[in-house]
Amino acid sequence: MPEIEDVLSDLAAEMAARPDRGEVATYIPQLGKVDPRKFGIAVATVDGRIITAGDAEEPFSIQSVSKVFTLTLALGKVGDALWKRVGREPSGNSFNSIVQLEHERGIPRNPFINAGAIVVSDVLLAGHQPREAIGEILRFVQFLTDDDSVYIDQGVAASERETGFRNFALANYMRSFGNLHHPAELTLGVYFHHCAIAMSCRQLALAGRFLACGGRNPATGHSVISSERARRINALMLTCGHYDGSGDFAFHVGIPGKSGVGGGILGIIPGVASVAVWSPGLNANGNSHLGSVAMEKLARAMNWSIFSP
Amino acid sequence: MPEIEDVLSDLAAEMAARPDRGEVATYIPQLGKVDPRKFGIAVATVDGRIITAGDAEEPFSIQSVSKVFTLTLALGKVGDALWKRVGREPSGNSFNSIVQLEHERGIPRNPFINAGAIVVSDVLLAGHQPREAIGEILRFVQFLTDDDSVYIDQGVAASERETGFRNFALANYMRSFGNLHHPAELTLGVYFHHCAIAMSCRQLALAGRFLACGGRNPATGHSVISSERARRINALMLTCGHYDGSGDFAFHVGIPGKSGVGGGILGIIPGVASVAVWSPGLNANGNSHLGSVAMEKLARAMNWSIFSP
Amino acid sequence: MPEIEDVLSDLAAEMAARPDRGEVATYIPQLGKVDPRKFGIAVATVDGRIITAGDAEEPFSIQSVSKVFTLTLALGKVGDALWKRVGREPSGNSFNSIVQLEHERGIPRNPFINAGAIVVSDVLLAGHQPREAIGEILRFVQFLTDDDSVYIDQGVAASERETGFRNFALANYMRSFGNLHHPAELTLGVYFHHCAIAMSCRQLALAGRFLACGGRNPATGHSVISSERARRINALMLTCGHYDGSGDFAFHVGIPGKSGVGGGILGIIPGVASVAVWSPGLNANGNSHLGSVAMEKLARAMNWSIFSP
Amino acid sequence: MPEIEDVLSDLAAEMAARPDRGEVATYIPQLGKVDPRKFGIAVATVDGRIITAGDAEEPFSIQSVSKVFTLTLALGKVGDALWKRVGREPSGNSFNSIVQLEHERGIPRNPFINAGAIVVSDVLLAGHQPREAIGEILRFVQFLTDDDSVYIDQGVAASERETGFRNFALANYMRSFGNLHHPAELTLGVYFHHCAIAMSCRQLALAGRFLACGGRNPATGHSVISSERARRINALMLTCGHYDGSGDFAFHVGIPGKSGVGGGILGIIPGVASVAVWSPGLNANGNSHLGSVAMEKLARAMNWSIFSP
């Protein structure tokens, strides 16, 4: 088995040189300004090591990767009652499809498509002002990372609000079925802000490490969630974490992962490590192009696929 | 860790006693005649042991579980060219949906839904008469099992042909898009026959073991397929192996699996073992009810989920 | 041919006595309060006569019938450019379906489903404040009716705004495709108010009469719209005026019509008369149950179907 | 009002000269061989006159126009019971869509889309051999036309059978829901043959004239169907006769019509005349391009829209 350090530095060099970089998301102006030449990667092992390469210290907008953390929080808050409002099946549709909602009467297919994550935000909002709920999410991510410098990019959040018409459509649509308990403006306030969390690869790998450790934080030894819940969140990441490219990611990479349109991907290798990779250009499914490529090469080099002996 | 023998015999006793047994499939008369009280389970470990409990020696109709074997054969025949004709994404729809085919112009979402498996049959038919293709599939399964007593139940095959109107619809529909290269009658002849393969739990666990062993047959040491291909087939089983209940199976059980309406499920624990379970009653998604329950309990008892440390 | 007076009074008596009255819409509280025993009917002939029976002088919420008038206004404002933003085909779906919008990228199928009428409101809002646009619509309907007592029921409008989540979903969804040019709140302000126009059957029959007269107002002799435009609006009413029950209305009644969930229907017999009928209880397609029955009986008695010699 | 003779000869001259002729259907080879420069038109008035222009005596494949005649026959055979197996609503989808059938469990939306017409063929097949049912349909059309030279083009019928995979899909799909009572091969044998009926414009106008005459054949004075049934068939032609271009045809032309991919259109002006037009090139909706244009010009010149005073 090669050393992780060597694999990461080779990967970073190779990715920096590749001409095919995908397309940076432009649906909100702030994301479109990011330099497509960026590439960072970080691995946090279950035995406490952190290995990084490339632009691994530079914060980026984690966007939908944050849904892993809000799902974890919401399960802690309401437990399995969450599954009355959100399904656990891959969507078979693009990430912001509204068709499925009509056929299934306002119940999103899973917590990682936009509609499902909006319901999760709605759960976190219960009994709070939006500002409080946003604060709770941010503090939870800071706690997981053990780093208070994780922050919310207010410009990104404001920009999402101004242009997020489809999310307003999804939220109002679910509300028409009774599956949103707060006004769309409030719930989406929570949603837009947690999507605007900015983290570096190093921070993101640390934040996700509890999922590789059966729910425990190896730095402190404290349990964040039960091992059963960690296992189930990993399963959801594998089947639903990359929108309509989830099957392809499982096929090629073979590790549970969650992507964001900011170009970040968080991957979990149970019992081994968590990985965060960042490259802003996206592929046709809206997932980081070089991030996916790097994950596949890393999993192959380290034999990290959960589908291998 | 408990002994497998103890876990299996406890499971068989518990499952035999449960009153909730699901509904036996009746869409073809032969399947409807099976005794719903049957329950069998078999584990074939990578180090060569076979452990069984319950009705593990009784042949049943493996139905869609056979799609794992035809996919393996077709990949051996045409390699990745297969993926031009079949996708690799969960369907987000029931197993025989035709809607998706209209939206995606005749390309089935994955090789485990009916439409995808029909395309796989069409690939295996190329250059052959149906009888030859059927013979090749049967011999391959006998080879994997190392047991010539595996057979095709001609009554089941004939019954499927007489009532399989929806499969004729799917086949003709794909043909209208050019994604079926032979007359529907011929391709479906292959398809109906491989679905009618009858095997016991013991045989099925043995037949699937190569997927737990990186593609090798541990009995002979010979490689059936490459380790990369085995890993990828496992990934497809995880994301697509249980129709529209695939997400739920991953969530609760956490091992790659493929179910059939005959009540069988084949599960793969990479590097550890293959498992076959059989209980004829089905749940709402068309997967074996007690088979799914038993798989979940087994995976938990043995810590076999691929999403656990 | 019988006398209209006799037919109407017989109809009103028969309808008053029928036990099957459909279900009064309850999705906004104000509509649910209406007495289901109400039945009114009015005919305005092209030669200037008005014949009424039953509760023909009592104002009711015309709801979607108002879409005929806003469409007329919008065509006057932007002409055939409207058809770049709205289609002219029956929807084949229920009146508030969002599925079609996803498949056709934000272009509603016709101006009489909710999404299409919201686009029409958006056209009328251009260059105006919502209050001005609402005022213009109301004055246009008063002008057509030649009656300043036509009014907007502010309670109904407010109630629609509070519960109209699906319309907010539709509006935001179209905005995500660029087919809404104003914030959803503003456009829907216009939409909710014109749906809240209250009129009696007498007033409604008078307001629609120009469509039976080749676009002219026979009271004044002035042309409201060209005869070609009147003919085309009639065609749209025939093919799209009753949501997913349009085909059935054409089959049974055979005259262009537009229904509203308040229980009103406006019918046009070109060259002969306009008819307004009102009965609050709805059938399964959301159209007035007894209103449809009465229209069918009236058309048969007077041989008014446009499909008859 | 101008003379019909003058309008038709002007139209024929204008259409012969136009460069925009649409695209001739090529999905079956025989249709693709037709000369796109052909244009014929014929009017049969209720008072017994026949006026023609252009290639009005040349037989062409009437294709889906035949569905008007099979519907008439099937209603005569089973009456309103037909509507348990076929709907009466516009489809909101392209003519051979299978999606709608899945959502509505095997009940086609109307008798003029392919699936609906196949059910109508299935009704006509009951109690007969396919050859007898085909003979009955042909004799009915010959009777309406009062012309034994109307024939079935066997080459077209055979070609449709060889390439009609999507129709086989539709038929088998409906059979899976129990809405086809005979094997697909037999029912489609009837369907493919009646679509292959060849007629000239003169013959087609004569055959359809009973629908303009309240169900009577003015030549003989005998009633073919009741006036109510004639009125209802006209309504279905208006709302559903041009696939997903029905709304547009109503909007622009304003007369009940039925088109076929052979380039023919039959139009009915109740109480006035029937019209048959033929030009082989099709528009994007699969309807005759110049046929539609000519119908619009004719309706305008003669003030024949049913939506005009």
Side-chain angles (χ1 to χ4, degrees):
Chain A
M1 193 68 62
E3 292 295 325
I4 300 180
E5 285 78 0
D6 298 340
V7 174
L8 293 199
S9 68
D10 287 358
L11 269 177
E14 180 186 345
M15 294 300 137
R18 276 178 75 138
D20 59 317
R21 308 200 73 82
E23 292 293 320
V24 176
T26 55
Y27 76 96
I28 59 172
Q30 276 77 349
L31 294 182
K33 290 177 193 158
V34 177
D35 183 349
R37 289 168 302 181
K38 296 290 182 183
F39 178 87
I41 190 164
V43 170
T45 67
V46 298
D47 54 14
R49 290 187 300 144
I50 312 286
I51 308 100
T52 65
D55 305 307
E57 310 291 344
E58 186 166 332
F60 60 91
S61 190
I62 68 167
Q63 293 288 318
S64 294
V65 182
S66 62
K67 296 171 183 174
V68 174
F69 306 121
T70 54
L71 171 64
T72 304
L73 262 184
L75 285 171
K77 193 167 180 179
V78 299
D80 285 343
L82 179 66
W83 307 119
K84 292 178 188 157
R85 295 178 61 189
V86 191
R88 292 181 300 235
E89 292 298 327
S91 72
N93 273 303
S94 64
F95 69 97
N96 48 14
S97 171
I98 209 162
V99 169
Q100 175 267 325
L101 280 183
E102 176 154 334
H103 288 165
E104 301 185 340
R105 302 197 56 74
I107 307 294
R109 290 224 112 201
N110 66 65
F112 292 150
I113 53 172
N114 286 17
I118 291 168
V119 168
V120 168
S121 288
D122 198 56
V123 166
L124 295 177
L125 183 54
H128 294 297
Q129 293 301 313
R131 203 162 58 159
E132 297 166 353
I134 295 164
E136 185 187 6
I137 296 167
L138 181 60
R139 283 189 299 277
F140 179 61
V141 177
Q142 291 172 333
F143 160 74
L144 291 174
T145 316
D146 196 22
D147 187 339
D148 284 356
S149 73
V150 174
Y151 68 99
I152 289 172
D153 185 325
Q154 298 292 340
V156 169
S159 187
E160 298 232 39
R161 175 184 285 278
E162 277 161 34
T163 58
F165 302 122
R166 197 171 286 213
N167 286 319
F168 274 100
L170 291 167
N172 277 291
Y173 199 62
M174 292 190 290
R175 192 142 201 228
S176 76
F177 286 106
N179 198 21
L180 203 80
H181 299 171
H182 303 85
E185 295 72 31
L186 301 188
T187 300
L188 289 175
V190 177
Y191 177 79
F192 291 141
H193 278 82
H194 77 65
C195 285
I197 290 176
M199 299 175 85
S200 67
C201 287
R202 171 191 293 271
Q203 290 170 326
L204 185 55
L206 281 168
R209 191 171 48 176
F210 73 104
L211 290 170
C213 300
R216 281 180 315 102
N217 184 338
T220 65
H222 286 324
S223 184
V224 179
I225 53 175
S226 72
S227 63
E228 177 171 287
R229 186 160 288 163
R231 165 168 74 75
R232 289 176 164 187
I233 292 173
N234 289 340
L236 285 164
M237 291 172 76
L238 193 290
T239 53
C240 314
H242 287 76
Y243 306 124
D244 206 22
S246 297
D248 228 47
F249 194 82
F251 184 87
H252 282 115
V253 182
I255 65 179
K258 182 73 204 82
S259 69
V261 291
I265 304 176
L266 172 64
I268 306 298
I269 306 99
V272 179
S274 61
V275 191
V277 65
W278 171 51
S279 174
L282 307 181
N283 63 22
N285 280 317
N287 302 311
S288 174
H289 170 58
L290 289 183
S292 302
V293 170
M295 280 285 195
E296 182 175 1
K297 287 174 178 279
L298 175 62
R300 191 188 307 249
M302 303 302 299
N303 192 32
W304 277 354
S305 166
I306 62 174
F307 300 109
S308 293
Chain B
M1 192 70 61
E3 292 296 323
I4 300 179
E5 285 78 1
D6 299 340
V7 174
L8 293 199
S9 67
D10 288 358
L11 269 177
E14 180 185 346
M15 294 301 136
R18 277 178 75 138
D20 59 318
R21 308 199 74 83
E23 292 294 321
V24 176
T26 55
Y27 75 99
I28 59 172
Q30 276 77 349
L31 294 181
K33 293 176 194 160
V34 177
D35 182 350
R37 290 168 301 182
K38 297 289 182 184
F39 178 87
I41 189 163
V43 170
T45 67
V46 298
D47 54 14
R49 291 187 299 144
I50 312 286
I51 309 101
T52 66
D55 305 307
E57 309 292 342
E58 187 166 333
F60 60 91
S61 190
I62 68 168
Q63 293 288 317
S64 294
V65 183
S66 63
K67 297 172 183 173
V68 174
F69 306 121
T70 54
L71 172 64
T72 304
L73 261 185
L75 284 171
K77 193 168 179 178
V78 300
D80 284 345
L82 179 67
W83 306 119
K84 291 176 188 157
R85 295 179 60 188
V86 191
R88 292 181 300 237
E89 291 299 327
S91 73
N93 272 303
S94 64
F95 68 98
N96 48 13
S97 171
I98 208 161
V99 168
Q100 174 266 324
L101 279 183
E102 176 154 335
H103 288 166
E104 301 184 340
R105 303 197 57 72
I107 306 295
R109 290 223 114 202
N110 66 64
F112 292 151
I113 54 173
N114 287 17
I118 290 168
V119 168
V120 169
S121 289
D122 198 57
V123 166
L124 295 177
L125 183 54
H128 293 297
Q129 294 299 315
R131 203 164 56 161
E132 298 165 352
I134 295 164
E136 184 186 5
I137 296 167
L138 180 60
R139 283 189 298 278
F140 180 60
V141 177
Q142 290 172 333
F143 161 74
L144 291 174
T145 316
D146 195 20
D147 186 341
D148 283 357
S149 72
V150 173
Y151 68 100
I152 289 172
D153 185 326
Q154 297 292 340
V156 170
S159 186
E160 297 232 40
R161 175 186 285 277
E162 277 162 33
T163 58
F165 302 123
R166 197 171 287 213
N167 286 320
F168 275 99
L170 291 167
N172 277 292
Y173 199 62
M174 292 189 291
R175 190 142 201 228
S176 77
F177 285 108
N179 198 21
L180 203 79
H181 299 171
H182 303 85
E185 294 74 30
L186 301 188
T187 300
L188 289 175
V190 177
Y191 176 80
F192 290 142
H193 278 83
H194 77 66
C195 285
I197 290 175
M199 299 176 83
S200 67
C201 287
R202 172 191 293 270
Q203 290 170 326
L204 186 55
L206 281 169
R209 189 170 49 173
F210 73 103
L211 290 169
C213 300
R216 281 181 314 103
N217 185 338
T220 64
H222 286 325
S223 185
V224 180
I225 53 173
S226 72
S227 62
E228 177 173 288
R229 187 160 287 164
R231 164 168 75 76
R232 289 176 165 187
I233 292 173
N234 290 339
L236 285 164
M237 291 173 75
L238 194 290
T239 53
C240 313
H242 288 75
Y243 306 125
D244 207 23
S246 298
D248 228 47
F249 194 83
F251 185 86
H252 282 113
V253 182
I255 65 178
K258 182 72 204 81
S259 68
V261 293
I265 304 177
L266 172 64
I268 305 298
I269 306 98
V272 178
S274 59
V275 191
V277 65
W278 171 50
S279 175
L282 307 182
N283 63 21
N285 279 318
N287 302 310
S288 174
H289 170 57
L290 290 183
S292 302
V293 170
M295 279 284 195
E296 182 175 2
K297 287 175 178 278
L298 175 63
R300 192 189 307 250
M302 303 302 299
N303 192 33
W304 277 353
S305 165
I306 62 174
F307 300 110
S308 293
Chain C
M1 191 70 61
E3 291 296 324
I4 299 179
E5 285 77 0
D6 298 340
V7 174
L8 292 198
S9 67
D10 287 358
L11 269 178
E14 180 186 347
M15 294 300 136
R18 277 178 74 137
D20 59 318
R21 308 200 73 82
E23 291 293 320
V24 176
T26 55
Y27 75 98
I28 60 173
Q30 275 78 351
L31 294 181
K33 291 178 194 158
V34 177
D35 182 349
R37 290 168 301 182
K38 296 291 182 182
F39 178 86
I41 190 163
V43 170
T45 66
V46 298
D47 55 13
R49 290 186 301 144
I50 313 284
I51 309 101
T52 67
D55 305 307
E57 309 291 343
E58 186 166 332
F60 60 92
S61 190
I62 67 167
Q63 293 289 317
S64 294
V65 183
S66 63
K67 296 171 183 175
V68 174
F69 306 121
T70 55
L71 171 64
T72 303
L73 260 185
L75 284 171
K77 194 167 178 178
V78 300
D80 284 344
L82 178 67
W83 306 120
K84 292 176 188 159
R85 293 179 62 187
V86 192
R88 293 182 299 237
E89 292 298 327
S91 72
N93 273 303
S94 64
F95 69 97
N96 49 12
S97 170
I98 208 163
V99 169
Q100 175 267 324
L101 279 183
E102 176 155 332
H103 287 166
E104 300 184 341
R105 301 197 58 73
I107 306 294
R109 290 224 113 201
N110 66 64
F112 292 150
I113 54 172
N114 286 18
I118 290 168
V119 168
V120 168
S121 288
D122 198 58
V123 165
L124 295 177
L125 182 55
H128 293 298
Q129 293 300 313
R131 204 162 56 160
E132 297 165 353
I134 295 164
E136 185 185 5
I137 296 167
L138 180 60
R139 283 189 299 277
F140 179 61
V141 177
Q142 292 172 332
F143 161 73
L144 291 174
T145 316
D146 196 22
D147 187 340
D148 284 356
S149 73
V150 173
Y151 68 98
I152 289 172
D153 184 324
Q154 297 292 339
V156 169
S159 186
E160 297 233 39
R161 174 185 286 276
E162 276 162 33
T163 58
F165 302 123
R166 198 171 287 213
N167 286 319
F168 274 100
L170 291 167
N172 277 292
Y173 199 62
M174 292 191 289
R175 191 144 200 227
S176 76
F177 287 108
N179 198 21
L180 203 80
H181 299 172
H182 303 85
E185 295 73 30
L186 301 188
T187 300
L188 289 175
V190 177
Y191 176 80
F192 290 141
H193 278 83
H194 77 66
C195 285
I197 290 175
M199 300 176 82
S200 68
C201 287
R202 171 191 292 270
Q203 290 170 326
L204 185 55
L206 280 169
R209 189 171 48 175
F210 71 104
L211 290 169
C213 300
R216 281 181 315 101
N217 184 338
T220 64
H222 286 324
S223 183
V224 179
I225 53 174
S226 72
S227 63
E228 177 173 286
R229 186 160 288 164
R231 164 169 74 77
R232 290 177 163 186
I233 292 172
N234 289 340
L236 285 164
M237 291 173 76
L238 194 290
T239 53
C240 313
H242 287 75
Y243 307 124
D244 206 24
S246 298
D248 229 47
F249 194 83
F251 184 87
H252 282 114
V253 183
I255 66 178
K258 182 73 204 81
S259 68
V261 292
I265 304 176
L266 172 64
I268 305 297
I269 305 100
V272 179
S274 60
V275 191
V277 64
W278 171 51
S279 174
L282 307 182
N283 62 21
N285 280 317
N287 302 311
S288 174
H289 170 57
L290 290 183
S292 302
V293 170
M295 279 285 194
E296 182 176 2
K297 287 175 178 279
L298 175 63
R300 191 187 308 249
M302 302 302 299
N303 192 31
W304 277 354
S305 165
I306 61 173
F307 299 110
S308 294
Chain D
M1 191 70 61
E3 294 295 325
I4 299 179
E5 285 79 358
D6 298 340
V7 174
L8 293 198
S9 68
D10 287 358
L11 269 177
E14 180 185 346
M15 293 301 137
R18 276 177 75 138
D20 59 317
R21 308 199 74 82
E23 293 292 321
V24 176
T26 55
Y27 76 97
I28 58 171
Q30 274 77 349
L31 294 181
K33 292 178 194 158
V34 177
D35 182 349
R37 289 167 302 181
K38 296 290 182 184
F39 178 87
I41 190 163
V43 169
T45 66
V46 298
D47 54 13
R49 289 186 300 144
I50 313 286
I51 309 101
T52 67
D55 304 308
E57 309 293 344
E58 186 165 333
F60 59 92
S61 189
I62 68 167
Q63 293 289 318
S64 294
V65 182
S66 63
K67 296 171 183 175
V68 174
F69 306 120
T70 55
L71 171 65
T72 303
L73 261 185
L75 285 170
K77 192 167 180 179
V78 300
D80 284 344
L82 178 68
W83 305 120
K84 292 177 188 157
R85 295 179 60 188
V86 191
R88 293 182 299 237
E89 291 299 327
S91 73
N93 273 304
S94 63
F95 67 99
N96 48 13
S97 173
I98 207 161
V99 169
Q100 174 266 324
L101 279 183
E102 176 153 335
H103 288 165
E104 300 184 342
R105 302 196 57 73
I107 307 295
R109 292 224 112 201
N110 66 65
F112 292 150
I113 54 172
N114 287 17
I118 290 168
V119 168
V120 168
S121 289
D122 199 56
V123 166
L124 295 178
L125 182 54
H128 293 297
Q129 293 300 314
R131 205 163 54 160
E132 297 166 352
I134 295 164
E136 185 186 5
I137 296 168
L138 179 60
R139 283 188 299 276
F140 179 61
V141 176
Q142 290 172 333
F143 160 73
L144 291 174
T145 315
D146 196 21
D147 186 341
D148 284 355
S149 72
V150 174
Y151 68 100
I152 289 174
D153 185 325
Q154 297 293 340
V156 169
S159 186
E160 297 232 40
R161 176 185 284 277
E162 276 161 34
T163 58
F165 302 122
R166 197 170 287 212
N167 286 320
F168 275 99
L170 291 166
N172 277 292
Y173 199 62
M174 292 190 291
R175 192 142 200 228
S176 76
F177 286 108
N179 198 21
L180 203 79
H181 299 173
H182 302 85
E185 295 72 30
L186 301 188
T187 300
L188 289 176
V190 177
Y191 176 79
F192 290 142
H193 278 83
H194 77 63
C195 285
I197 290 175
M199 300 176 83
S200 68
C201 287
R202 171 191 292 270
Q203 290 170 326
L204 186 55
L206 281 169
R209 189 170 49 175
F210 73 103
L211 290 169
C213 300
R216 282 182 314 101
N217 184 338
T220 64
H222 286 324
S223 184
V224 179
I225 53 174
S226 73
S227 63
E228 178 172 285
R229 185 160 289 163
R231 163 168 75 75
R232 289 176 164 187
I233 293 173
N234 289 339
L236 284 165
M237 291 172 74
L238 195 288
T239 55
C240 314
H242 287 76
Y243 306 123
D244 206 23
S246 298
D248 229 48
F249 193 83
F251 184 86
H252 283 114
V253 182
I255 66 178
K258 181 73 202 82
S259 69
V261 291
I265 304 175
L266 171 65
I268 305 298
I269 306 99
V272 179
S274 59
V275 191
V277 64
W278 171 51
S279 174
L282 307 181
N283 63 22
N285 280 318
N287 303 311
S288 174
H289 169 56
L290 290 183
S292 302
V293 170
M295 280 284 196
E296 182 175 2
K297 287 175 179 279
L298 175 63
R300 192 188 306 251
M302 302 303 298
N303 192 32
W304 276 353
S305 166
I306 62 173
F307 301 108
S308 292

